[in-house]
Amino acid sequence: MKTNANCIRHLCTLVALLAAAGGAYAHEYSAGSLKIGHPWSRATPGGAKVAGGYVSVTNTGSEPDRLIGGAFDQAAEVEVHSMTMENGVMKMAPVEGGLVIKPAATVTLGPGGYHLMFMGLKAPLKQGEMIKGTLTFEKAGVVPVEFLIEGIAAKGTSADHGGHDHAR
């Protein structure tokens, strides 16, 4: 009987350690009726002064909210931007008034579309880093998040690395 108790204790310790190790990449957040999934960015080459930030936001409530900005520990400034192609020319511009997240809708910020523009990078972003930041919403307020830095050519297809929920 004592051996079984020891085995169970060791198994519980192992499960706790694995959960803690995997938790670095599991990052979903909640703020009121908003569910924020997998904030990430790409690694950058040395000397880069800008980078894009990507995330999905789902509104489970009955009222719209707006993503109006944020902060990123490795950048001087963060803006919500759109990217469009006009006559074969890529154009980026700030989203005036913020990006609306309608009730029962998910808005995905990703490469080639809406994104966060990290301007004035303080250092290159390195794959595997978790960098603190915030997302600022008109109603939900300021939400602390961490951005996982993925590979320099990442397209956003590396699935959310878990389902841990950081409730606010």
Side-chain angles (χ1 to χ4, degrees):
M1 218 42 180
K2 195 174 193 178
T3 303
N4 284 344
N6 284 339
C7 286
I8 291 170
R9 187 171 31 255
H10 289 297
L11 181 60
C12 288
T13 301
L14 178 61
V15 168
L17 288 171
L18 289 173
Y25 292 135
H27 63 308
E28 292 180 357
Y29 304 84
S30 295
S33 63
L34 300 181
K35 304 293 180 206
I36 300 161
H38 190 54
W40 67 282
S41 186
R42 291 179 174 141
T44 58
K49 295 297 179 194
V50 297
Y54 313 109
V55 64
S56 66
V57 182
T58 300
N59 186 344
T60 63
S62 59
E63 296 291 324
D65 204 340
R66 289 178 187 272
L67 175 60
I68 56 176
F72 186 68
D73 280 3
Q74 289 297 326
E77 189 176 355
V78 175
E79 292 181 349
V80 180
H81 274 218
S82 65
M83 197 282 303
T84 58
M85 293 295 287
E86 292 181 24
N87 299 321
V89 177
M90 180 176 62
K91 294 186 176 190
M92 281 192 242
V95 177
E96 297 299 324
L99 184 59
V100 176
I101 298 97
K102 295 178 183 177
T106 298
V107 174
T108 300
L109 284 70
Y114 291 111
H115 59 279
L116 298 169
M117 182 62 76
F118 301 146
M119 299 178 289
L121 289 180
K122 299 172 185 174
L125 305 181
K126 296 178 183 161
Q127 185 172 351
E129 291 180 318
M130 292 288 286
I131 299 177
K132 292 182 181 192
T134 62
L135 299 176
T136 304
F137 296 91
E138 184 176 67
K139 294 178 182 167
V142 176
V143 182
V145 298
E146 286 187 290
F147 290 85
L148 173 63
I149 308 305
E150 299 206 12
I152 200 162
K155 294 181 174 35
T157 56
S158 73
D160 187 273
H161 301 284
H164 191 247
D165 187 40
H166 300 268
R168 180 173 157 217

